[in-house]
Amino acid sequence: MCYLTPTMRDTQKIVDHPRKITAEHQVNIERVEMRHLRIPLREPFETSFGRTDTRLIFLLSLESGGLRGWGEVVAAEEPRYSYETAGTAAHIIRDYLAPVVMEKPLTGLSDLAARFVPFKGHNMAKAGLELAYLDLLAKIKNWSLTAFIGGTRQRVPVGVSLGIQPALATLLDRVSKYLSLGYQRIKLKIKPGWDVEVVAEVRRRHPDILLSVDANSAYSLKDLELFRALDDFNLLMIEQPLDHDDLLDHAKLQAEIKTSICLDESITSLRRAEQALSLESCRIINIKIGRVGGYSKALAIHDLCYGAGVPVWCGGMLESGIGRAHNLALASLPGFTLPGDISASSRYFERDLIVPEVTVSPDGTAEVPRGVGLGFDVDLDFIASCTESVELIERKK
Ligand code: OSB
Ligand code: MG
């Protein structure tokens, strides 16, 4: 496989979605609401970078003409997955992004994205606003978000991401449970000391399932022997084995192993995706709307990969139903051919923030909502009961 950057832009032309987001419409944002709430996870989620017991959820809404669009900022409490936190995102939104959003009427997604360009980084903060804006715009136009962004699927294949467990027996039990619920792919979180033996045992018991691993950048090129060992288990992919911002070492590793590398943390922009393909740092890309800075970038990376024949899938950040509803819309695009980390609400929480909750059917798919906007009702009473803080940013008259 050879990915030559100059041809990529041309290949994008073959992507012919009925995408409606280019439609012009002036929207005056009157108010931005930032809301932090805390909901316990049903089980702690442990990765190579740390453990989460309760999820601090950061909801963002934009209001205009009596309608309200919802988004979620996926940054965690601590800067362990990336440098952003719920705190840094609130600061960036309050002091820089919300003011330019409300400065004058928005004419479209590209207008919104262009207003964010002068501010470096802080992709999750930017993405939260893009999510809320697209939900609002879809509501104004009476369209479903899915139709709006050119989604083509009515159901999407899903997998589950299983954290590091206190004991192998617990993990094996979880694997069996999610397979029996229909999940099409199992992803195991790995770290040094919880890798080859664990993978070997899961593979021995389930020789034919789609199985992948996610290291969240816990290894280096010095671990080549470990990756050679993992090469024997017919894994669908090894996700983000090396440093969070690396492309070159991943290209070296990909040249040494059969298993496809999938990049998560390293893909923070369209340019980084182009460079990763051109360097052959990976053969698969995990797209997270938050990590790449919003719908504008997620759609562009999708189009790039679709045109280049590189499979993508929708990653997750232990979102509430609001973020998950956006993920379902994104995953309905034609290039999302691999199962996403979009599990049922009940996999994460006792009770979710949307009605109905997200469910996974026995064939391992989730329904893409087709109602107006997000396509789910937002449970305002339940949200109010979990809220820790609310901050309103009003437009200057
Ligand atoms: O690396 O994909 C990851 C959760 C939090 C931060 C990073 C990751 C994850 C997951 C869980 O793997 C995916 C999900 O939401 O189910
Ligand atoms: Mg990952």
Side-chain angles (χ1 to χ4, degrees):
M1 256 187 285
C2 178
Y3 303 105
L4 293 171
T5 319
T7 59
M8 278 176 189
R9 300 238 178 233
D10 299 338
T11 54
Q12 282 184 38
K13 290 194 191 105
I14 64 170
V15 181
D16 184 22
H17 312 294
R19 201 170 274 167
K20 297 187 164 87
I21 44 174
T22 47
E24 293 270 313
H25 196 105
Q26 301 234 341
V27 181
N28 241 316
I29 305 295
E30 291 140 20
R31 191 151 93 148
V32 177
E33 184 195 271
M34 299 196 287
R35 186 182 282 265
H36 286 123
L37 43 123
R38 193 175 289 279
I39 36 178
L41 290 174
R42 290 181 80 169
E43 283 186 358
F45 187 76
E46 188 174 331
T47 67
S48 62
F49 61 78
R51 188 182 137 119
T52 312
D53 297 272
T54 72
R55 184 74 168 101
L56 181 73
I57 301 284
F58 184 160
L59 297 183
L60 199 69
S61 68
L62 296 182
E63 286 171 58
S64 177
L67 291 171
R68 191 171 185 187
W70 289 91
E72 181 168 344
V73 176
V74 298
E77 276 179 274
E78 299 183 355
R80 296 183 185 274
Y81 167 81
S82 74
Y83 65 82
E84 287 189 88
T85 68
T88 65
H91 158 55
I92 296 296
I93 292 168
R94 177 195 312 113
D95 297 330
Y96 303 102
L97 306 180
V100 297
V101 166
M102 292 190 285
E103 190 180 294
K104 53 183 195 255
L106 286 165
T107 59
L109 183 63
S110 46
D111 176 22
L112 179 61
R115 294 187 199 188
F116 294 162
V117 171
F119 307 110
K120 304 286 186 292
H122 299 281
N123 283 351
M124 295 177 184
K126 292 171 179 172
L129 286 161
E130 284 202 9
L131 294 177
Y133 169 70
L134 271 208
D135 179 33
L136 176 65
L137 194 53
K139 282 173 174 155
I140 290 171
K141 298 247 175 193
N142 216 22
W143 283 329
S144 77
L145 205 51
T146 304
F148 209 24
I149 62 171
T152 53
R153 260 174 252 273
Q154 299 188 1
R155 304 194 67 86
V156 296
V158 302
V160 67
S161 169
L162 296 177
I164 293 158
Q165 303 290 330
L168 181 57
T170 325
L171 178 70
L172 295 171
D173 180 70
R174 298 295 180 277
V175 171
S176 305
K177 171 182 163 181
Y178 287 101
L179 288 173
S180 70
L181 290 171
Y183 285 84
Q184 294 190 24
R185 180 269 288 142
I186 300 286
K187 165 170 132 181
L188 307 175
K189 290 289 188 179
I190 57 168
K191 68 173 182 182
W194 182 268
D195 45 37
V196 180
E197 284 172 34
V198 173
V199 174
E201 190 53 21
V202 172
R203 185 45 106 196
R204 192 180 70 76
R205 287 168 186 245
H206 306 282
D208 300 319
I209 61 166
L210 289 183
L211 183 63
S212 60
V213 295
D214 185 357
N216 288 111
S217 60
Y219 299 91
S220 76
L221 278 181
K222 293 194 184 111
D223 298 305
L224 187 58
E225 284 318 302
L226 169 101
F227 294 111
R228 288 201 198 288
L230 288 177
D231 239 355
D232 289 340
F233 300 116
N234 190 27
L235 297 175
L236 180 61
M237 69 189 84
I238 301 177
E239 186 177 339
Q240 196 69 38
L242 311 178
D243 274 353
H244 72 100
D245 60 354
D246 170 80
L247 292 179
L248 289 178
D249 283 0
H250 281 101
K252 287 183 192 157
L253 179 59
Q254 184 64 93
E256 295 288 330
I257 60 175
K258 299 195 300 274
T259 310
S260 293
I261 290 178
C262 167
L263 289 180
D264 174 351
E265 284 90 327
S266 291
I267 307 298
T268 49
S269 65
L270 175 61
R271 181 186 296 271
R272 298 279 292 166
E274 286 171 342
Q275 290 171 344
L277 299 193
S278 145
L279 290 166
E280 298 185 42
S281 309
C282 63
R283 299 190 199 123
I284 300 174
I285 288 182
N286 161 332
I287 300 184
K288 291 180 180 169
I289 312 175
R291 192 195 66 230
V292 302
Y295 271 116
S296 53
K297 318 297 184 308
L299 295 171
I301 294 171
H302 163 272
D303 295 353
L304 165 77
C305 292
Y306 192 50
V310 173
V312 300
W313 55 282
C314 182
M317 291 292 289
L318 309 175
E319 292 93 341
S320 79
I322 290 174
R324 198 173 321 286
H326 282 285
N327 288 346
L328 283 168
L330 183 74
S332 73
L333 293 173
F336 284 79
T337 51
L338 294 170
D341 275 349
I342 309 176
S343 305
S345 299
S346 60
R347 180 259 179 277
Y348 307 94
F349 314 111
E350 217 53 70
R351 180 173 169 185
D352 206 339
L353 309 182
I354 53 167
V355 182
E357 305 204 321
V358 174
T359 54
V360 171
S361 64
D363 68 353
T365 61
E367 191 182 6
V368 176
R370 274 178 297 164
V372 174
L374 279 180
F376 290 89
D377 285 334
V378 172
D379 189 342
L380 293 173
D381 291 335
F382 183 53
I383 288 174
S385 73
C386 310
T387 295
E388 290 191 343
S389 69
V390 186
E391 187 176 337
L392 291 174
I393 310 163
E394 309 268 353
R395 196 158 67 105
K396 289 197 192 78
K397 293 280 160 6

